[in-house]
Amino acid sequence: MERKGWKVGNANDFLGLSPEESRYIELKQQLGRKLRERREARNMTQVELARHLKSSQSRVAKIEAGDPSVSLDLIVRSFFSLGANKRDLARVIAASGRSRAAG
């Protein structure tokens, strides 16, 4: 494709993200995936989690999707409301770094 004049890159190149911004986005996505796994393991719906957080189902869906508008504060509070402790959260963060290093 490059021979035909196309520029080849990835989403970070296209969006002009710094390495730090890219890692932050990856972390939020990983936290969202793990939050969903934790919620589903407790047979809890997004609506039920939203009620615990005094938030909305759509906000929980945004957390789980890694939406950039969601604050880390809300993500952390969501984990804690599902019974996670600081060590559980640290494991998720550490796993995010390992998966990035492997990729």
Side-chain angles (χ1 to χ4, degrees), residues 7-8 13 15 23-24 30 35 37 39-40 44-45 49 53 63 65 70 72 77 79 83 92 95 97 100:
K7 184 174 180 182
V8 177
D13 296 333
L15 296 172
R23 287 195 305 265
Y24 181 70
Q30 176 76 0
L35 182 75
E37 289 174 15
R39 176 184 59 76
E40 289 176 343
M44 184 181 274
T45 66
L49 178 55
L53 297 170
I63 295 169
V70 176
L72 276 178
R77 285 190 304 118
F79 269 96
V92 174
R100 182 177 31 81

Side-chain angles (χ1 to χ4, degrees), residues 49-88:
L49 178 55
R51 219 174 285 133
H52 281 280
L53 297 170
K54 296 183 172 78
S55 189
S56 66
Q57 176 275 326
S58 63
R59 201 76 186 141
V60 172
K62 286 180 179 185
I63 295 169
E64 293 179 358
D67 188 287
S69 68
V70 176
S71 70
L72 276 178
D73 173 69
L74 183 58
I75 295 169
V76 171
R77 285 190 304 118
S78 300
F79 269 96
F80 291 158
S81 74
L82 290 174
N85 57 37
K86 290 187 278 185
R87 181 170 285 146
D88 296 327

Side-chain angles (χ1 to χ4, degrees), residues 26 29 31 41-42 51 53 59 83-84:
E26 290 169 10
Q29 290 173 338
L31 288 167
R42 285 162 179 67
R51 219 174 285 133
L53 297 170
R59 201 76 186 141

